[in-house]
Amino acid sequence: LTSGDPPASASQSAGITGVSHHAQLMIVSFAVQKLFSLLRSHLSILAFVAIAFGVFVMKSLLMPVS
């Protein structure tokens, strides 16, 4: 790279220079949808665990001490 060369764009750096702009948008859209799908499934699991833990804690707090 010489001082007269322009810096590479993000798409050139990523190696997707031959892909049209529309295809790039489709790829990004698909990736974002998959990411949100993963996050949603993990949040569901975390919510279930939090509720189960909360029920356990409430039961232990309300249980009379012998």
Side-chain angles (χ1 to χ4, degrees), residues 6-44:
S9 69
S11 62
Q12 288 172 327
S13 298
I16 54 174
T17 56
V19 180
S20 71
H21 183 68
H22 179 71
Q24 289 177 15
L25 291 176
M26 296 290 290
I27 292 168
V28 170
S29 174
F30 178 76
V32 169
Q33 287 176 356
K34 287 297 178 185
L35 176 64
F36 278 114
S37 176
L38 280 172
L39 289 174
R40 188 171 41 244
S41 65
H42 284 91
L43 287 176
S44 298

Side-chain angles (χ1 to χ4, degrees), residues 45-59:
I45 293 168
L46 287 174
F48 176 78
V49 169
I51 291 170
F53 182 73
V55 168
F56 173 76
V57 169
M58 290 302 290
K59 276 185 171 181

